[in-house]
Amino acid sequence: MSMTDRELVDLAFAMLERSYAPYSGFSVGAALLCADGAVFTGCNVENAAYGSTICAERTALVKAVSEGRRDGFVKLAVAGRSADYCWPCGACRQMLWEFAPGLTVLVARGDRDFISLPLSELLPHGFGPKTLEP
Ligand code: THU
């Protein structure tokens, strides 16, 4: 049986426990679903050199790519504890576009409500591999 959006969002919320965010105090969790049902999870991992921080979404994505996945990404859920929806940052939108321009993104807020929207709406006219073609 395939995973529901609610279940994927809940996996993203579970990752808040693993978040390492001593500087911002802003924990983020993510869960990336593949077509075959595999899920790669991630959390934000901050650093004393603040700019070296990696976001939850990119953690999930690089875990997947480093395990040999390059396509078949279907949905990504991202969750935070704040009142507003935890919108993916620009760098994460760009990194996701590289591998999954057709991705659906589930964006959750602290009360666990979430919005589903296409990555193409979060990153219109994205720059990707096709752009580099001569
Ligand atoms: N953060 C994410 O994990 N994902 C995003 O898309 C936005 C920001 C993290 C980075 C940093 O650890 C904290 O949220 C505050 O910016």
Side-chain angles (χ1 to χ4, degrees), residues 18 74-75 82 108:
R18 302 234 176 118
V74 177
K75 266 177 205 172
S82 51

Side-chain angles (χ1 to χ4, degrees), residues 21 24 26 28 44-46 53-57 78 86-89 92:
S24 72
F26 191 88
V28 183
N44 54 335
V45 182
E46 298 190 345
T53 291
I54 185 167
C55 294
E57 304 94 306
V78 54
C86 191
W87 297 106
C89 80
C92 289

Side-chain angles (χ1 to χ4, degrees), residues 1-12 30-41 74-77 104 106 114:
M1 206 185 80
S2 67
M3 175 164 291
T4 65
D5 287 359
R6 179 78 264 166
E7 286 168 336
L8 193 67
V9 168
D10 285 347
L11 287 178
L32 179 62
L33 175 67
C34 303
D36 66 356
V39 176
F40 293 87
T41 54
V74 177
K75 266 177 205 172
L76 173 116
T104 296
L106 309 177
F114 65 91

Side-chain angles (χ1 to χ4, degrees), residues 66-83:
S66 63
E67 291 299 319
R69 307 273 179 156
R70 289 189 179 179
D71 47 37
F73 300 122
V74 177
K75 266 177 205 172
L76 173 116
V78 54
R81 293 195 176 98
S82 51

